[in-house]
Amino acid sequence: MAKRITGTAPTAVLAAALALLAGGQAEAREATRPSALAITGRIIDGGGGAPIEGGRVVAVDGVIACVGTAAACPIPDGAQVVDAGAGSVMPGLIDLHAHPRPHYYGWFLAAGVTTVRSANTDLAMVRALDAMPAPRARLVWAGPMLDGEKSIIRRFYPEAAPDAPSPARPADGPSLEGIELLIAQTPDQAVAAVDALAAGGAHWVKLYEHLPPDAFAAAVRRAREKGLPVMADLGMASTRGLDGAEVDLMQAAALGLDSLEHVGGAALAYRRLGGDLEAETLDPALIDRMARALLASDTALVPTLSVFHFNADDAPPREALAGLPLAEAAGTVRDGLEQQWRGVHGHFHGDPAHNGKARLDARIGAAVTLRLAELGGRVGAGSDTPAGAYNLPGGGLHLELELMTRAGLTPLQALSAATGTAADILKRPDIGRIAVGRRADLVVVDGDPSRDVRDTRRLRRVILDGRLLDPQALQADALADGETRLAALMAEETD
């Protein structure tokens, strides 16, 4: 779900304020990496298999050197030792769909999310996120997304001055500078847009809901030629998925899409297949057809169930947020997010028709997700934070895992969706699993998430690249850093 969230690259005002902040927090931010680290406890390796009880992970210079039983992995001389006791060690979480901004980017690592895929990112935002001080979550980014001439996102951009190009425009060469939305109404424009994304260093190509079918197909083909994976948001019942989108789930899967977001295009495909979206129950045969289409093309599904949850559910948001990392955060950053979320929540709960569409999205999303998992297809975890309502940066991924289990996935399947499977979707063999040769991105939690996935929230330690970090210190840093960044940005925009 795309949403334009203000916040651009830091300029002189922001840089000066951040210099003061950095001077006071450098020691807290920079954790010295020990030459060796040994963590003993229950090991959930991210591959979906049964945990190793009484296991041990040994990392040397930030890389996992041994994983297995404690007897099989002796502690190296001089190693820093962590005993998880009855707790668990698991890979750092991966959020496959987020819209990060500098003033809340620190929230991700503080919540145990060690890698973030940014789903729609202009070059200025990439530079701003990359310039943030360590430690910070690893960034994987899709460039400015491709959409058609009728893109709803255009409403966010005022008419450009006569001597200035619009941020929403077709690619006019290899440069992405100043482009926030790539208009691609024709196949030629789609090819030019993908070429610009490749030249700009984007990790992913993202396609959006109003892209015409021929331009959509051309973009997928060109991305494949360029070696770039493709993700797509095809629209949902509660957005433009039934009254503006042209490409449905079945068509996108047939083209060999790498990653389908939000179960987009499912409502449209269901209707085109003859299904009745107003019926009390969904037709399991049609759900099965859609899941098998994804399975046949090896298209990963990133359902982002959390983005529908509060739009559809009548329960008070505070109850569902309780216990999530940074759920009790206060300050101007949280106030700004709250204002956005209240507006979205009011839209979907102030009109029965809107709420009905949100409930449909939640229902069909959960059904396709479960069926694909049952068939052995790839399901990845993404939050779409801060889109939707009350979708916490970082904490929202923990809620996503709970919602996956409510949909019928096992806790181990949900955990894999945010770790090993997520790394596979990103084509990152260096992260996502506790395995020899992978980066030591880990979290230590109380309890056993393989039995109760909500135990992922009980963070004791976050390890990034072999550096041992305190979640409470990370949270305090993230809040202070965010307040400073947002204040500087607001001052800059006022000038």
Side-chain angles (χ1 to χ4, degrees):
M1 183 179 293
K3 184 174 183 66
R4 186 169 183 252
I5 303 164
T6 59
T8 55
T11 58
V13 174
L14 184 55
L18 295 177
L20 294 174
L21 176 69
Q25 293 187 324
E27 184 177 349
R29 287 185 173 279
E30 291 294 344
T32 301
R33 181 171 67 200
S35 59
L37 175 66
I39 309 174
T40 302
R42 179 184 302 104
I43 299 174
I44 302 170
D45 68 6
I52 302 173
E53 299 291 343
R56 180 176 292 143
V57 181
V58 175
V60 176
D61 294 330
V63 177
I64 296 171
C66 188
V67 54
T69 63
C73 294
I75 299 174
D77 291 341
Q80 187 169 356
V81 178
V82 176
D83 184 357
S88 303
V89 188
M90 53 181 287
L93 300 176
I94 300 171
D95 192 333
L96 287 172
H97 195 119
H99 297 278
R101 295 295 182 265
H103 55 282
Y104 54 78
Y105 195 48
W107 292 34
F108 290 96
L109 188 60
V113 178
T114 54
T115 299
V116 175
R117 181 174 65 166
S118 180
N120 179 40
T121 331
D122 62 65
L123 290 185
M125 187 56 61
V126 172
R127 287 192 290 265
L129 295 171
D130 278 343
M132 294 187 66
R136 63 178 183 273
R138 302 181 190 277
L139 178 68
V140 177
W141 59 281
M145 64 188 180
L146 282 66
D147 205 4
E149 288 283 358
K150 297 179 181 178
S151 176
I152 191 71
I153 306 302
R154 276 192 151 176
R155 70 182 183 180
F156 294 120
Y157 302 102
E159 289 296 324
D163 58 344
S166 170
R169 65 180 188 270
D172 48 10
S175 176
L176 291 173
E177 292 295 343
I179 296 179
E180 299 182 31
L181 174 69
L182 284 160
I183 299 299
Q185 186 66 21
T186 68
D188 285 346
Q189 288 179 330
V191 168
V194 173
D195 286 350
L197 289 166
H203 302 144
W204 281 74
V205 173
K206 182 180 179 182
L207 311 181
Y208 204 51
E209 54 193 22
H210 280 105
L211 202 62
D214 56 351
F216 192 104
V220 174
R221 287 194 297 267
R222 188 60 167 177
R224 190 173 296 120
E225 292 170 359
K226 292 288 186 178
L228 286 174
V230 181
M231 61 193 295
D233 174 354
L234 304 176
M236 298 153 282
S238 57
T239 58
R240 278 73 48 194
L242 293 174
D243 58 5
E246 298 185 57
V247 179
D248 65 31
L249 178 151
M250 304 292 287
Q251 294 169 314
L255 288 169
L257 191 70
D258 293 279
S259 172
L260 178 65
E261 314 301 298
H262 321 305
V263 200
L268 182 59
Y270 189 89
R271 187 171 68 184
R272 287 176 173 176
L273 291 170
D276 179 7
L277 292 170
E278 303 299 323
E280 288 188 11
T281 59
L282 296 169
D283 185 338
L286 298 185
I287 297 298
D288 182 72
R289 284 184 64 179
M290 290 190 287
R292 288 184 183 276
L294 296 173
L295 181 71
S297 63
D298 196 29
T299 298
L301 181 63
V302 182
T304 66
L305 302 176
S306 49
V307 82
F308 313 128
H309 178 66
F310 291 111
N311 296 344
D313 199 278
D314 290 330
R318 293 293 176 193
E319 294 180 6
L321 294 178
L324 292 175
L326 288 158
E328 302 302 322
T332 56
V333 174
R334 179 59 181 266
D335 290 345
L337 293 171
E338 285 277 346
Q339 182 178 13
Q340 170 187 319
W341 292 334
R342 283 195 298 270
V344 174
H345 192 262
H347 171 80
F348 283 102
H349 288 274
D351 185 323
H354 293 159
N355 185 249
K357 290 179 179 179
R359 289 178 181 273
L360 172 60
D361 286 332
R363 188 168 53 137
I364 201 167
V368 175
T369 298
L370 176 59
R371 186 60 186 139
L372 182 60
E374 291 172 340
L375 293 170
R378 294 189 300 162
V379 176
S383 64
D384 201 16
T385 182
Y390 303 100
N391 197 356
L392 283 165
L397 189 64
H398 294 264
L399 179 59
E400 180 72 13
L401 301 183
E402 179 185 349
L403 295 175
M404 284 183 164
T405 62
R406 289 193 201 177
L409 274 67
T410 68
L412 281 171
Q413 286 176 318
L415 293 171
S416 181
T419 55
T421 300
D424 293 345
I425 293 169
L426 293 180
K427 307 181 192 303
R428 289 289 300 266
D430 59 325
I431 58 175
R433 286 183 173 83
I434 302 180
V436 173
R438 300 216 179 197
R439 305 305 307 179
D441 290 358
L442 309 165
V443 292
V444 179
V445 300
D446 287 325
D448 183 0
S450 71
R451 294 180 177 274
D452 185 344
V453 79
R454 292 172 296 183
D455 283 345
T456 61
R457 308 168 186 190
R458 301 171 64 190
L459 290 167
R460 285 176 54 186
R461 294 288 184 182
V462 176
I463 297 98
L464 182 69
D465 211 27
R467 291 175 172 84
L468 195 63
L469 305 168
D470 176 7
Q472 295 301 317
L474 286 173
Q475 290 182 20
D477 267 8
L479 294 176
D481 178 89
E483 292 298 299
T484 301
R485 289 177 184 276
L486 187 58
L489 182 62
M490 293 172 66
E492 179 184 359
E493 292 180 348
T494 302
D495 291 343

